Amino acid sequence: MEDNHRRAEIEIRVSFPITKHGPLEEKVEPGTTVGTTLADAMTHFEVHDDSQFTYVLAHDGQEQNDSTTVGSLAGKSHEVRFSLVKKITQG
């Protein structure tokens, strides 16, 4: 049973081009949300939202909703690649 559980995990990779840090790479459960992955990425890259900027995750060039699950993005694949995007907050 444990081997089946491990096969169900999805490998994620989050890149952030404007940082000196390497990408965030981890294995997560399919039910993990994009919001959880975003929080992990922001911690990894040492960034936070403020009055001028917010951060979002993009997959295949599309901004992802925080409630979307990694499993729904992966489909039959066992990996998902994201980009952390810094957005200017409209004032």
Side-chain angles (χ1 to χ4, degrees):
M1 182 83 175
E2 190 173 323
D3 287 339
N4 290 337
H5 180 70
R6 284 195 179 133
R7 277 185 239 143
E9 288 185 328
I10 297 170
E11 186 174 325
I12 61 164
R13 179 183 175 107
V14 181
S15 59
F16 186 42
I18 60 173
T19 186
K20 295 178 181 178
H21 294 283
L24 170 66
E25 296 178 323
E26 59 187 12
K27 292 184 180 189
V28 300
E29 297 294 321
T32 302
T33 64
V34 169
T36 298
T37 303
L38 173 61
D40 291 349
M42 290 175 67
T43 298
H44 175 79
F45 293 115
E46 300 177 1
V47 297
H48 60 277
D49 292 338
D50 59 30
S51 62
Q52 292 183 316
F53 301 103
T54 59
Y55 294 86
V56 297
L57 287 179
H59 171 66
D60 286 342
Q62 299 291 318
E63 184 177 326
Q64 298 300 310
N65 186 301
D66 284 349
S67 63
T68 301
T69 64
V70 173
S72 68
L73 295 173
K76 293 183 180 184
S77 177
H78 293 284
E79 70 175 30
V80 178
R81 294 178 182 260
F82 293 102
S83 294
L84 182 61
V85 179
K86 184 177 183 179
K87 293 178 62 175
I88 296 173
T89 304
Q90 298 290 333

